[in-house]
Amino acid sequence: MNLLPKSHQEFSKADYWNTFFKKRGKKAFEWYGEFPELSSYLLKYIKPKDEILIVGCGNSTLGMDLYDAGYKNVVNIDVSQVVIKQMQDLNRVKRPDLVFEQMDATKMTYDDGKFSVVLDKGTLDALMPDSEEATMTLITKYLQETKRVLRNSGRYVCISLLQEHILRTLVTSFSSTFAFRAVRCHDAEIKAKEMDESPMPVFMAVATKFIKLPQPILEIVLADGPPMRLSNVDEIVNNVISTQESASLCNSLYKSSVANDGEVSLDLYKPGDKDPRYTIYILDQLMVKERKSYAAFIVPQGREMDWLFSTKEGRQQLLKSAQHDRLAIVILRRGQIFESLEAVKNELGDSIKNFAPAGLSKSQIPFLSLGSDIGQRKIIYEGNSDFSGPFVVEEIETESGLYRRLVFLNNQFVIQSEAKLKQVTSRRKKTKYIVDPHYVACDHHLYMSVGLKTALKNKSNGEAVIIGLGGGGLCTFIRQYIPQTTITAVEIDPAILKIATDHFDLVQDEKLKVDITDGIEYLIHSSKQGKKFDTILFDVDSKDSSVGMSCPPKQFVDPDFLTTVDSCLSDEGLFILNLVARNKKLRDETVDDLKKIYKFVASYKTEEDVNEIIFCSKNSKDFKEWKDLMQESAKALNELAKTKNNTDELIELSTLLSSIKIEH
């Protein structure tokens, strides 16, 4: 039997409802939950002495439940004479004072200000399937009548799904002399899920009538705690839509797997906050028919940028290692304060349960992490770049030491620059932390340095230009390990130079100069002047995430500009490019363009990282001989590292030799 209309427009027709109730008989039909799930919300805004009008009552037990709970002044109206007679017959003996009257809510015959509460449970949603002219004419009459029969300080209480067109109409209609509040009714959704239904967020809109208001009052309650005051209609609409989208996602996660999609992600906010407190990634194992185990993995602060947590490939690896059918990976967002791992678990408990698959005992969801420490993140500097937007310099303490990082907040799961700090003692026995110049944060910097050392061979002096400064880590390493190099670093952003100098201990001298200019313009100008370099290194990121290549910007590998780069190389010089292209076609096109200009092109793909180092020479080379030279350079850097820093090998030679390849 089709008890719900095929078209939502049928909701507003009296004929539909007469047919509906005749088909259904005496069985109650409850929109958006029953009294036990709604009572805790309703009874905050309805008092036993209130004179209550329930509009569009249908055969809902709401009026009966209120009557039985001590609310004796209740009048129920409905457009359907069929259901009114049913309800009168049902309640005549047991509830003699409970009133049921056949009446159109858009044409009520009651006196002005007769009721202190007008209660609407799904009626507005039924009357307003759209915002077309005919519908809006009807709704205008309905809301005008509602306001007319309400006395001052009275409340219109509307239980609704609050679709956007309904919410905007309500807020606009009640904005001048009514205080408006939207309350999410969580208990109704929980009950629906327990009944294996697909719950949508249920809201209770409460509009309180005043003679006059100095300014509009708009509030929303999405979780436990005080209402959140909002300033305009768009804010309340955006909050409701976000809640609806989140609930839709949770419903999908409850019923189905995301394995074929790879993962889904969402942010969690504290009520009233504009910035997210957590980011959650949900992953499912492939080829699992029934998901029987589910866990949450909390990533300590500062570790969210590790490959294992910051990339899809890494998170899939974590899913396999965790050995659960579903895994929720929790990222603790920057700018938030977290007391302890236990406090985070307690705060996340209900949210993590919402992402559980069907059929799982939600009391048995384990929390996993890297030990018992939640990690520490200390922001030591915040600023804004005209080119890259807001950024932070922060310090992270891990089991391996103290690290300082530069992070652009527009891409805050990527470390722009990192330095390890070491403690030193002055002659006056005072201790402080300085940047360790021997630490290399990025593997691709190591292999770019190997290429640079190979290009210089036995030269006592060589010139290198590095496009892209960052925190200056590559420049600092080259100064320490390839001291015969005279470096010109080209950086377009003066804010980056200040960061590198003030927070990453970059020092300019006769062997290192920083030129604040556009890298393309710098090399074009150098080409026109006939200037030659022994090595040219590109280590510059792209701000355009739509291209599919995050390093370098697309214009840096334009064929015409690559010809300019070639003209700036000495005869035995080497062009070294840090290439990050997730789009394989784009990567191959870039390499093909390089091969048209350079007679020798080789590549090295770093492990785990997405970086690929491309080595280009204008002269043909014997690949085996060149690999041998690269091996000698890597060995020399390893030996120097042992003497300078008493460290293990910087470069794994076997990996280097097996992974480097010629681009045919």
Side-chain angles (χ1 to χ4, degrees), residues 349-612:
D350 289 340
S351 295
I352 292 299
K353 289 178 183 178
N354 286 336
F355 308 138
L360 187 77
S361 173
K362 296 181 182 179
S363 61
Q364 299 176 354
I365 302 175
F367 280 90
L368 313 174
S369 191
L370 300 175
S372 59
D373 189 3
I374 203 169
Q376 294 184 359
R377 179 191 288 118
K378 178 184 177 184
I379 295 177
I380 62 171
Y381 183 72
E382 296 179 81
N384 191 76
S385 159
D386 292 339
F387 295 91
S388 302
F391 62 83
V392 295
V393 178
E394 61 187 16
E395 290 181 356
I396 305 295
E397 190 166 1
T398 72
E399 63 276 5
S400 60
L402 184 64
Y403 296 85
R404 184 172 292 168
R405 293 171 175 172
L406 167 63
V407 179
F408 293 130
L409 298 185
N410 292 333
N411 193 13
Q412 58 180 293
F413 292 124
V414 175
I415 302 172
Q416 185 68 24
S417 297
E418 180 182 84
K420 188 173 185 179
L421 303 182
K422 67 177 183 179
Q423 192 176 57
V424 296
T425 304
S426 68
R427 293 178 180 177
R428 296 181 179 180
K429 305 300 181 182
K430 291 185 177 181
T431 60
K432 66 175 182 177
Y433 284 95
I434 64 170
V435 170
D436 183 351
H438 305 291
Y439 172 75
V440 184
C442 309
D443 282 349
H444 71 272
H445 281 174
L446 281 176
Y447 297 105
M448 294 178 85
S449 300
V450 172
L452 169 61
K453 187 167 181 61
T454 302
L456 296 185
K457 297 179 184 174
N458 297 318
K459 285 188 176 183
S460 59
N461 189 31
E463 282 199 65
V465 60
I466 301 175
I467 308 298
L469 176 65
L474 178 58
C475 294
T476 298
F477 180 80
I478 292 172
R479 279 167 57 106
Q480 291 289 322
Y481 286 84
I482 315 174
Q484 70 268 38
T485 312
T486 300
I487 306 169
T488 300
V490 181
E491 172 59 54
I492 195 172
D493 190 349
I496 297 299
L497 175 58
K498 178 174 173 56
I499 293 167
T501 303
D502 294 351
H503 300 288
F504 290 87
D505 295 358
L506 182 74
V507 177
Q508 296 189 62
D509 55 21
E510 68 280 357
K511 299 292 285 185
L512 170 60
K513 298 292 184 185
V514 180
D515 199 333
I516 300 298
T517 188
D518 180 271
I520 291 177
E521 292 179 2
Y522 178 87
L523 288 176
I524 290 174
H525 181 69
S526 297
S527 176
K528 289 178 179 178
Q529 289 189 325
K531 194 169 184 179
K532 302 290 183 180
F533 301 97
D534 296 298
T535 53
I536 298 174
L537 299 88
F538 280 9
D539 189 31
V540 55
D541 68 326
S542 172
K543 309 304 178 189
D544 185 356
S545 59
S546 66
V547 175
M549 184 164 70
S550 56
C551 191
K554 190 72 169 64
Q555 59 267 34
F556 277 77
V557 289
D558 178 84
D560 289 340
F561 180 62
L562 289 175
T563 302
T564 299
V565 175
D566 179 62
S567 70
C568 293
L569 275 178
S570 63
D571 289 341
E572 295 297 322
L574 198 64
F575 171 41
I576 305 172
L577 169 66
N578 175 25
L579 179 65
V580 181
R582 294 186 181 275
N583 185 317
K584 186 178 184 303
K585 181 182 177 183
L586 192 56
R587 181 265 178 202
D588 292 343
E589 288 175 353
T590 300
V591 172
D592 286 342
D593 287 338
L594 289 167
K595 286 158 60 178
K596 292 174 184 176
I597 298 170
Y598 297 96
K599 294 182 179 180
F600 175 84
V601 178
S603 63
Y604 176 83
K605 183 70 178 290
T606 58
E607 288 187 301
E608 291 189 351
D609 288 340
V610 294
N611 303 75
E612 185 175 13

